[in-house]
Each structure stands twice: as structure tokens, then as C-alpha cells.
Amino acid sequence: MIHSRNRRLRVNESVRSLVRESILTTSDFVMPVFVMEGENKEEPIASMPGIFRRSIDLTVKECKELFALGVKAVNLYMKVSDDLKDNTGKEAWNKNGLMQNTIRAIKDAVPEMVVMPDVALDPYSIYGHDGIIENGKIVNDATNDALARMSVSHAEAGADIVAPSDMMDGRVQVIREALEESGFTDVGILSYAAKYASSFYGPFRSALDSAPKDTMEIPKDKKTYQMDFHNSREALNEVFKDIEEGADIIMIKPGLPYLDIVSKVREAIDLPIAVYNVSGEYAMVKAAAQNGWLDNDKTIIESLTCFKRAGADMIFTYFAKEAAMILNR
């Protein structure tokens, strides 16, 4: 006779929900937002169905809608004009730049929205790299100084948390010190601690025209600073160093192919963990759903719940608005 039957706790939805371990809510989501120059402008991103580049006014409108749905945080990315790009990234700390004006506009319109601007030089670089290039190499320390100036500029504009995604060594400490010295002791740092050199970023780079330029003089990819996808122990090394330097939240990127890293880091640290459900992951689900191969809504909720099950506290995802609508239904 069988005495222990696991199926007793799966007998109906009420019982299943009672013993459910991982619960997904709208408060778990951070929506990445692409911003462009202009007014009342919206451009679809072909490789990411349902995602748009928008001018500041329409971005503010979108943020109001997101907040009303329960999505309380946005992650900002700028589509920078080519004439503003150079090898220093100086447009990144322009007090009246597109990023700074966007931060102010969102905080004025939706004060309780958590605004997390991306901190990286690739949208501002003529080379499409996350760092300053000297003698054909991405230089670390000069890039850190630029990232610190960028972060302080974001804080001055009203950012709640800065999100350095560049993977330079020691940049969390340099940014933390710059924020402290400038009086922004309450501005947090969400560090992309374990960001891998991944093929899953393709649609994102086309959205911002931020892919590395293919020339003989500079590295053709980002593998000298982003992590090798063959490695997992290295992720813990990166995470521990960023925590020592003052990170408040740890990011793992990409998401679904790296759930083992999320789980490993969750077991090792108590800090909040963010995971990035990146553009390639989004595009794959959308393509399959549009072809009728997957159920769109069910696949979205299942894949996002996987992140919570693995140990993530927050999820950066292009599904945020759509998932919020599904959950609210």
C-alpha cells in the first residue's frame, strides 16, 4: 500500500496554489525602455515585436501606463545621434542630454517610479564598445572615470539607482566613491556583476545601433571584458568583488540560458539578485508564438517564473507590460 502520494498536493488549482513555492507579481518586473530624440515619435523595433523606441513625451506616457499596471521600475537606454558619438563618451554626462532629460521627465510625471538608467559608453561610442579605446584596446581605468561622471550626472537628474553594465574591473568602487563625494549617498548601484559575452543580445544592439564596429584597429567583440559563457565559478568571483566595492543589487545577464548561475549566486549571497531576460530570449518566444508553436501568455508567465524559482528577486524583461496585463487578468 502506498502511504506517501505527492499527487495529493496537485489535486486541483486551489491546493496547488496553496503550496506554490515561487510567486510572480508585477512588482518583480523592471521594464527596459528605449528613448529617442524628437517629439510624439515612436519607431517599432523589427526584431522585438511589440517593443518601440519612443521620444521623451511618449516614454513618459508609457511609464504612466506601466506604473498603473503595477510595474514600478524602468531601465533606460538612449538611441544617440551619430553626430554626438566619439571615443570619450562625453555626451553621456551632458546635463541636458537625452538621458538626463528623460530621467527628469519621468520623475516629474511619475515620482514613485524607480528609474534605473543604464551606465555604459557603447551607445555614445563611435566604436560601439563599452569603453574608451587607446592603441586598439579598451582601457579600463579611464573608462571607469567616464562611467563615474556618467553616474553622477544620472543622480543629479534624479535617478534612483544607476546600473553599470560595462564589466570594467573596479568600476563599482569608482562609481560608489564618486556618488558619495557628490552627496548622493542614497543612490543605489545595480551592478551587472556576471554579464556574459552572449549571442542573445543581437536584437538589443540593433535597437540602439550599439554593436561593436567591425574594423581591424579595434576588438570585433566584447569578449575582453564580458564573461566567457563557458565559465560559472568566475561568476562568483565577479559577484564577490562587486559586493566588496559597494554594489547594492547584483545582476546576472542573460537570463534563461544562465539559470544555473542565478541559482549558484543565490546560494552564495544575501543581496538582492536581478536577472535580465534579454532581447534574444524575448525575440525567440515572440517568433514561436507568432508562428503558433507556443502559447504566448503561458510561455511568458512560465519563463518569468523560472527566474523567481532560481532565486532572482527582480526581473528585467521586455515582457514586463504584457506580463503585468496577464497577471492582472
Side-chain angles (χ1 to χ4, degrees):
M1 182 181 294
I2 300 174
H3 293 283
S4 178
R5 295 180 183 270
N6 291 344
R7 289 180 60 192
R8 293 189 190 112
L9 299 182
R10 304 173 196 150
V11 67
N12 58 46
E13 176 57 23
S14 295
V15 172
R16 290 192 296 271
S17 65
L18 193 65
V19 298
R20 192 158 285 155
E21 299 172 27
S22 302
I23 307 297
L24 190 68
T25 74
T26 59
S27 297
D28 296 323
F29 303 144
V30 180
M31 180 70 179
V33 174
F34 298 118
V35 185
M36 60 186 293
E37 294 283 3
E39 187 174 346
N40 195 33
K41 292 180 66 176
E42 181 178 85
E43 294 178 354
I45 299 169
S47 56
M48 301 172 69
I51 303 300
F52 300 84
R53 287 181 291 265
R54 295 183 174 94
S55 53
I56 293 177
D57 54 333
L58 296 186
T59 297
V60 168
K61 181 175 180 288
E62 179 73 359
C63 287
K64 289 179 179 178
E65 293 177 7
L66 287 165
F67 199 82
L69 288 168
V71 179
K72 300 175 182 177
V74 290
N75 177 218
L76 303 181
Y77 297 90
M78 303 296 112
K79 177 68 170 66
V80 180
S81 301
D82 287 343
D83 60 339
L84 296 175
K85 297 180 181 183
D86 62 13
N87 187 35
T88 70
K90 64 180 182 297
E91 178 62 20
W93 53 87
N94 177 359
K95 291 185 177 181
N96 293 308
L98 183 59
M99 175 69 87
Q100 290 74 8
N101 289 336
T102 302
I103 295 169
R104 283 189 286 266
I106 295 172
K107 294 302 290 186
D108 286 345
V110 197
E112 294 182 22
M113 178 69 83
V114 178
V115 176
M116 303 184 191
D118 180 61
V119 176
L121 296 183
D122 51 336
Y124 303 88
S125 167
I126 55 174
Y127 299 114
H129 272 288
D130 294 51
I132 295 169
I133 292 180
E134 294 178 4
N135 299 319
K137 294 182 179 181
I138 291 89
V139 292
N140 194 92
D141 296 3
T143 297
N144 285 347
D145 291 339
L147 297 172
R149 295 184 68 176
M150 187 177 182
S151 298
V152 171
S153 178
H154 292 174
E156 289 172 344
D160 300 284
I161 298 171
V162 295
S165 63
D166 55 286
M167 290 297 288
M168 295 298 120
D169 291 334
R171 91 280 205 210
V172 172
Q173 180 173 331
V174 175
I175 291 171
R176 182 75 270 164
E177 289 175 353
L179 290 171
E180 295 288 321
E181 290 170 3
S182 301
F184 296 109
T185 56
D186 291 336
V187 173
I189 298 177
L190 183 149
S191 170
Y192 287 61
K195 180 179 180 180
Y196 285 83
S198 172
S199 300
F200 286 89
Y201 303 147
F204 173 92
R205 290 175 179 167
S206 66
L208 292 183
D209 186 27
S210 61
K213 305 305 182 218
D214 188 9
T215 72
M216 295 292 292
E217 295 78 23
I218 63 171
K220 63 180 180 180
D221 53 40
K222 301 189 177 188
K223 293 180 179 179
T224 66
Y225 45 101
Q226 294 179 356
M227 286 180 55
D228 185 340
F229 67 82
H230 299 85
N231 298 348
S232 64
R233 295 192 303 271
E234 183 185 8
L236 290 176
N237 187 352
E238 291 281 0
V239 166
F240 291 144
K241 285 181 177 178
D242 283 6
I243 292 173
E244 291 173 4
E245 292 174 16
D248 301 288
I249 303 169
I250 293 298
M251 169 70 86
I252 293 150
K253 181 180 182 181
L256 288 175
Y258 294 81
L259 291 178
D260 61 318
I261 306 301
V262 178
S263 181
K264 187 185 290 274
V265 173
R266 177 75 289 161
E267 292 176 0
I269 70 170
D270 295 324
L271 257 62
I273 294 174
V275 63
Y276 208 128
N277 181 210
V278 301
S279 58
E281 300 167 45
Y282 175 90
M284 287 193 302
V285 171
K286 280 300 180 185
Q290 288 178 351
N291 279 283
W293 300 333
L294 292 174
D295 182 295
N296 182 77
D297 293 5
K298 290 179 180 178
T299 304
I300 289 171
I301 298 303
E302 181 179 346
S303 60
L304 295 178
T305 301
C306 289
F307 297 125
K308 295 295 295 290
R309 190 184 66 234
D313 299 287
M314 65 193 76
I315 306 163
F316 284 53
T317 178
Y318 303 97
F319 289 120
K321 187 176 184 179
E322 192 173 0
M325 290 177 177
I326 296 168
L327 292 175
N328 288 337
R329 288 201 299 267

